[in-house]
Amino acid sequence: MTLMFNGIGVSKGFAIGEAYVLHRNQVDVTARKLTKKQIPAECRRLRKAIKVAKAELLTARDNIPKDAPSDISAFIETHILMLDDGLLSDTPVDIIKAEQCNAEAALQQQREALAKVFGSMDDEYLATRIDDVNHVIDAVLRVLDNGEVVTPAENWKGQIVIADDLTPADTVLMQHNGAAGFVTETGGQLSHTAILARSLGIPAMVGVHNIRQYVKSGETLTLDGKRGLLLAEPSDNMLKELRKQKKAFKQQQRDLNKLIDKPAITQDGVELNLFANIEIEEDLKALKRVNAAGVGLYRTEFLYLNRDALPTEQEHFKDYTKVLRSLKGAMLTIRTADLGADKDFSPNHITTSGPLAHNPAMGLRGIRVCLNEPALFETQLRAILRASARGPLQILLPMLTTVAEVKQALAIIDSVKQSLTEEGIEFDPNVAVGGMVEVPAVAIAADQFAQHLDFLSIGTNDLIQYTLAIDRIDDQVNYLYDPLHPAVLQLIKHTIDAGQQAGIPVTLCGDMASDTRFVRVLLGLGLSEFSMPPNSLLAVKHSLINARRVRVRKFCMALMKTSDAKEQESLLERINRE
Ligand code: PEP
Ligand code: MG
């Protein structure tokens, strides 16, 4: 009988293979009372287990394939550092001494304490870091249990690995040993395992609770990593269908690769700029693979996450110059820190809206944080301006609401330029400054913002959230998230028109620019600059260069005026038909 499982598809692609179910021993963590005399030996036992677990990680790090993305070793490095951290190496030893208990129970107690700390964090990214703590503690527990870490990597060739969770080290070894895909019981879109799967291009899905109870090793599985769909023991017809889809997907990738060097120009001669959004280093490699025109959005808030202290000016500078070197003269759009809301970062002295705010998305975020914390803003601006002497870049201000904010930000940029001049530090005095259009008020008054800015960039992820009053990360209201809502389309069109009238470029860098269902709609509304995750760029290019703006425009104008779902669907079908 065929069983069907839905989960979170985190890495697109199809896999067909036998299941390899990874049943790692659940180590008994029950507390045992020790005598005073037994305590030194128990402490030594724990320290030795930590050493063995660390040696295993060092081996994994040394075996990372040379062509693997550089952030993979960074993940493994994080785990090595965690094992060295006092919270994992010293505190459990202190617990053994204080409670006179066994090493397993001490580790478990510390795991629970850390889970509480991580669990109380509002930031989804930081909250998922408890996964790393769990990986590391589990590795030590397994050593305590077996005396060694068991990684049966040799069994993974051509198989779909089913696990409770996978460490970054497991994921690297899995790819190295030819696993066809993987499914885990826990994890989310932002977990390291998911990020790695995408970077490595392995089809994967996560969050399939209790999957190991239903699937046995050796059973035939099919995995659709985009939809998050797993079939166990599929029928012959289902297998045939999936093989067809897999073949079509591969062929599609090959066809898209042929577009890499084709000029980005529509059938009726509209010249397009297709830029990439970047966040992590791996995106730069992907950007080159698809020959993007440059970077339309560098989300720098990722430099601030997963650490205790603010990044220094030198850290910013080093990062930006590295990106510029890699871009070899293509434009880099650096968005100043968009902290707050779902990208919350709260070291002791910074108070963003944080967990206590009722509406963090409407609280202190983006430019509001920067203007509230001038030192944080100036540090980043100094680094950006210094980097501007090394290559073409422009500054993008996030989450604007008022023209007064623009003026204030521009005044701070001027004063930073003044200080750099006085210090004799080189920078490009003509660095362009643009603003994100994410708040409906900015879209409506875009003409006024355009008078003070060198370019506009529409952030539809937030623009849709704020226009339709739905939290973009709340599953319960996700059904209302509609890029085709006439209000959204009208705001986009209004912004594009305002930019054109003011003679400044308008880019769109929200998810809508990477979705092939919508890019021709944007083209019809007058957009020529799109910025998106690099791995979507060729599919978007394919859709746009085969379109004619003159042909789609009238359907787009009609789309902007209708709320009727059927009519919307038929118009969208017309727009995307050719
Ligand atoms: C957006 O809001 O569309 C955008 C690009 O910014 P972010 O997704 O980083 O909020
Ligand atoms: Mg945004």
Side-chain angles (χ1 to χ4, degrees):
M1 192 183 71
T2 304
L3 291 180
M4 189 170 100
F5 303 91
N6 290 299
I8 307 168
V10 292
S11 179
K12 66 181 176 197
F14 296 93
I16 302 172
E18 277 184 10
Y20 184 87
V21 184
L22 203 54
H23 281 291
R24 291 191 264 217
N25 290 347
Q26 280 302 317
V27 180
D28 181 8
V29 290
T30 324
R32 279 182 291 114
K33 191 84 183 159
L34 304 181
T35 62
K36 270 215 172 90
K37 246 174 101 186
Q38 289 172 313
I39 287 175
E42 193 64 7
C43 294
R44 277 198 302 278
R45 187 174 156 255
L46 175 58
R47 289 203 192 282
K48 193 169 161 227
I50 291 173
K51 246 191 188 160
V52 175
K54 188 172 160 188
E56 160 86 1
L57 282 173
L58 290 170
T59 312
R61 186 190 61 186
D62 296 343
N63 280 304
I64 294 174
K66 290 222 166 13
D67 56 348
S70 48
D71 43 330
I72 288 177
S73 52
F75 289 158
I76 295 177
E77 212 69 65
T78 308
H79 285 195
I80 294 169
L81 287 174
M82 276 185 174
L83 276 176
D84 282 336
D85 194 295
L87 282 174
L88 285 184
S89 53
D90 297 335
T91 312
V93 172
D94 293 342
I95 295 173
I96 294 176
K97 289 178 189 161
E99 314 257 330
Q100 287 188 225
C101 67
N102 51 328
E104 289 87 345
L107 276 173
Q108 184 61 15
Q109 194 173 322
Q110 181 61 351
R111 184 206 302 267
E112 282 159 16
L114 291 171
K116 264 195 201 135
V117 175
F118 281 88
S120 66
M121 290 177 181
D122 218 26
D123 179 317
E124 203 189 330
Y125 180 82
L126 288 181
T128 58
R129 296 289 71 84
I130 187 62
D131 296 349
D132 294 303
V133 173
N134 282 328
H135 286 318
V136 171
I137 290 180
D138 285 343
V140 181
L141 283 173
R142 281 198 294 273
V143 180
L144 286 169
D145 194 40
N146 305 320
E148 59 175 349
V149 180
V150 188
T151 317
E154 68 278 6
N155 296 327
W156 291 350
K157 194 161 175 49
Q159 308 217 338
I160 296 175
V161 179
I162 310 282
D164 49 346
D165 200 1
L166 292 165
T167 66
D170 291 334
T171 316
V172 173
L173 289 173
M174 231 174 62
Q175 196 242 8
H176 191 56
N177 291 287
F182 73 80
V183 180
T184 62
E185 295 188 338
T186 56
Q189 278 284 358
L190 288 176
S191 66
H192 274 154
T193 319
I195 297 171
L196 278 176
R198 285 193 287 276
S199 295
L200 294 167
I202 312 176
M205 79 194 246
V206 302
V208 196
H209 303 293
N210 302 322
I211 176 82
R212 289 177 307 158
Q213 286 176 18
Y214 302 102
V215 171
K216 290 191 197 68
S217 286
E219 279 183 358
T220 302
L221 300 179
T222 67
L223 168 64
D224 178 344
K226 186 175 179 190
R227 285 169 66 196
L229 183 68
L230 181 81
L231 299 179
E233 295 293 343
S235 66
D236 287 349
N237 275 346
M238 289 168 170
L239 260 178
K240 214 165 126 191
E241 178 54 31
L242 204 97
R243 285 207 180 97
K244 230 167 75 190
Q245 288 181 25
K246 189 176 173 193
K247 209 168 144 195
F249 179 76
K250 283 218 165 124
Q251 187 55 46
Q252 200 188 22
Q253 297 296 113
R254 279 195 292 270
D255 290 345
L256 288 177
N257 283 340
K258 292 185 192 143
L259 302 179
I260 291 174
D261 296 319
K262 268 208 151 187
I265 177 160
T266 65
Q267 292 292 310
D268 53 345
V270 178
E271 288 187 23
L272 306 166
N273 273 320
L274 304 182
F275 295 110
N277 293 352
I278 61 167
E279 284 160 26
I280 56 170
E281 211 180 322
E282 175 55 22
D283 295 328
L284 279 174
K285 291 183 197 157
L287 173 153
K288 279 193 199 150
R289 278 200 295 274
V290 298
N291 199 9
V295 171
L297 170 66
Y298 179 15
R299 288 184 167 100
T300 58
E301 46 279 7
F302 287 86
L303 295 173
Y304 295 76
L305 301 178
N306 212 13
R307 50 184 294 159
D308 298 326
L310 291 169
T312 61
E313 179 183 324
Q314 198 52 22
E315 282 175 281
H316 278 291
F317 178 71
K318 264 174 83 177
D319 185 85
Y320 305 148
T321 47
K322 192 167 154 195
V323 176
L324 281 171
R325 261 198 311 278
S326 155
L327 287 177
K328 296 197 173 94
M331 179 54 80
L332 168 63
T333 308
I334 303 181
R335 185 173 72 182
T336 54
D338 180 23
L339 299 166
D342 58 325
K343 291 172 256 183
D344 194 25
F345 171 77
S346 309
N348 299 337
H349 60 289
I350 306 269
T351 342
T352 62
S353 289
L356 294 178
H358 288 301
N359 289 310
M362 296 197 185
L364 207 52
R365 70 166 287 201
I367 196 72
R368 303 171 189 181
V369 174
C370 288
L371 297 178
N372 208 43
E373 292 284 339
L376 176 149
F377 196 32
E378 280 161 17
T379 302
Q380 184 173 26
L381 288 172
R382 273 182 69 92
I384 296 176
L385 285 166
R386 280 173 57 203
S388 71
R390 305 284 181 95
L393 62 77
Q394 51 189 13
I395 298 172
L396 178 57
L397 306 170
M399 269 300 292
L400 293 168
T401 310
T402 66
V403 169
E405 287 169 339
V406 175
K407 289 187 182 164
Q408 211 182 331
L410 291 175
I412 296 175
I413 293 172
D414 277 345
S415 86
V416 171
K417 283 183 182 172
Q418 181 77 29
S419 316
L420 291 175
T421 308
E422 282 162 16
E423 291 166 48
I425 296 172
E426 252 192 299
F427 64 93
D428 171 6
N430 299 316
V431 168
V433 180
M436 292 286 295
V437 180
E438 295 165 290
V439 175
V442 178
I444 293 166
D447 55 335
Q448 295 179 35
F449 285 79
Q451 285 169 28
H452 301 274
L453 292 162
D454 300 311
F455 65 98
L456 298 175
S457 189
I458 306 173
T460 41
N461 304 342
D462 278 314
L463 186 63
I464 297 170
Q465 148 166 277
Y466 295 125
T467 305
L468 306 183
I470 45 150
D471 188 335
R472 66 192 249 192
I473 56 172
D474 184 343
D475 278 350
Q476 294 184 88
V477 288
N478 217 289
Y479 70 100
L480 287 169
Y481 198 87
D482 178 15
L484 294 183
H485 192 295
V488 172
L489 296 182
Q490 285 173 35
L491 290 174
I492 293 173
K493 169 92 169 52
H494 193 73
T495 307
I496 296 170
D497 291 349
Q500 264 165 12
Q501 266 158 29
I504 61 168
V506 178
T507 309
L508 194 146
C509 62
D511 274 6
M512 213 175 156
S514 64
D515 193 325
T516 47
R517 283 172 306 157
F518 306 133
V519 289
R520 285 187 178 186
V521 176
L522 298 172
L523 177 75
L525 296 181
L527 192 79
S528 310
E529 299 204 355
F530 299 72
S531 192
M532 68 209 88
N535 57 11
S536 314
L537 196 137
L538 293 178
V540 168
K541 189 173 185 178
H542 177 261
S543 171
L544 291 175
I545 64 175
N546 286 305
R548 283 174 201 275
R549 177 178 279 168
V550 281
R551 289 267 274 274
V552 294
R553 187 186 281 139
K554 68 171 188 290
F555 300 123
C556 295
M557 294 306 129
L559 196 56
M560 223 168 49
K561 293 192 181 100
T562 180
S563 299
D564 183 85
K566 269 213 170 113
E567 199 183 336
Q568 280 179 338
E569 207 170 296
S570 115
L571 285 165
L572 199 58
E573 198 271 320
R574 296 290 294 270
I575 291 167
N576 289 321
R577 188 182 294 167
E578 298 157 48

